[in-house]
Amino acid sequence: MKYELPQLEYNYDALEPYIDAKTMEIHHAKHHQAYIDKLNAVLEKYPNLQDKKLEELIKDLPNSVMDENDKKTIHNNGGGHLNHSFFWQIMGTKKEVDEALFEEIKATFGSQEEFKKIFTNTAATHFGSGWAWLVRDEQNKLQIYSLPNHDFPYLKGHQPIIVLDLWEHAYYLKYQNRRAEYIENWWNVLKLL
Ligand code: MN
């Protein structure tokens, strides 16, 4: 089985003016596709692993006897594929507010504003490439944190709920060094809240 680029539920220009069409096209058709291509290429060497759930495969890599470079390639590109696939889904042109999540966020963080403040600050202060996450931890509690590169919450046994791409390729064409402005504008295209 080969991994394939998931189709977006919206056009590249749908998230304008917050995320521009050119960024979306390059991000999806080039960056995401490249992660998938590299993942598929390395997995050709391991036919017995191709049917394993990708999250599990990546989580189990430290215990695997596989070549160390191949492990790195699978970790980075498999994580890139999973994270981007999730990121596309939580954005959209229409709000689909999850009321239960909304209530839980208020109960956990005090208010939606406070939640946004903490998440925004976590994203803005992340150093280098990575992703900001809202997750459900093993105790079923909401947590906000950022992870480097293409690491993901499954590695900690957490379920992702909201994610924001902090790699420069996600915003540089439109925002250049203004990451804070990208983060602020991104709330407009997040479907869930
Ligand atoms: Mn990205």
Side-chain angles (χ1 to χ4, degrees), residues 27 35 84 131 150 165 167 169-170:
H27 201 173
Y35 296 128
H84 284 95
W131 301 74
H150 288 320
D165 191 340
W167 285 58
H169 68 222

Side-chain angles (χ1 to χ4, degrees), residues 124-135:
T125 56
H126 179 86
F127 186 77
S129 295
W131 301 74
W133 299 92
L134 172 71
V135 304

Side-chain angles (χ1 to χ4, degrees), residues 69-84:
N69 280 328
D70 289 348
K71 284 190 194 181
K72 245 181 249 164
T73 304
I74 294 172
H75 182 101
N76 292 337
N77 293 283
H81 174 46
L82 288 172
N83 290 355
H84 284 95

